[in-house]
Amino acid sequence: MLKYAFALTIAGFVAWGVAGTLQESECLHGSSEVPTELARRQAALRFARQVNTVESSVYNQEQRYRGVNELPGVSAPPEGFRAQLSTDGTSYTFSIKDTRDACHFAYFSDQVGTIYTVAPIR
């Protein structure tokens, strides 16, 4: 009986490791990123830079930040990405998330202008 419990425990750890490896292989962005996904990710980064640049310009003129739909000249997010911006006028937080990626790739920024790559805790 003890042998069976030990075997089941080992099998569980092996399955857990395989599941983790399979999940990593489902990621669209990373070491195995294909050119089309690289292009989508780079377009999302350009979008994030555009939002930060326009927010900075608007703030310099109006002394307030705007919502993403109120930003002049900002293009739509790349296909498969969803943008979200929250502002109280004196600060903002911004994210652009890949809705197609099983690993939930995203960029994040705020009024400071630094763009971060975000990965969820697993």
Side-chain angles (χ1 to χ4, degrees), residues 28-29 36-47 75-83 96-101 105:
L28 297 179
H29 311 287
T36 55
E37 296 306 330
L38 171 63
R40 288 180 59 249
R41 182 174 54 81
Q42 290 172 334
L45 180 57
R46 283 191 301 275
F47 180 83
S75 59
E79 187 177 332
F81 280 86
R82 184 175 57 87
I96 181 162
K97 301 174 185 174
D98 191 343
T99 61
R100 296 177 182 172
D101 185 23
F105 179 85

Side-chain angles (χ1 to χ4, degrees), residues 6 15 19-20 27 34 45 63 68 97 100 106 108 110:
F6 181 72
C27 296
V34 297
L45 180 57
Q63 300 305 299
V68 73
K97 301 174 185 174
R100 296 177 182 172
F108 163 81
D110 60 16

Side-chain angles (χ1 to χ4, degrees), residues 70-119:
E70 302 173 296
L71 296 175
V74 173
S75 59
E79 187 177 332
F81 280 86
R82 184 175 57 87
Q84 183 175 341
L85 188 148
S86 297
T87 183
D88 62 1
T90 61
S91 64
Y92 71 90
T93 58
F94 167 73
S95 66
I96 181 162
K97 301 174 185 174
D98 191 343
T99 61
R100 296 177 182 172
D101 185 23
C103 297
H104 308 287
F105 179 85
Y107 288 115
F108 163 81
S109 192
D110 60 16
Q111 70 281 349
V112 174
T114 304
I115 300 171
Y116 300 90
T117 301
V118 181

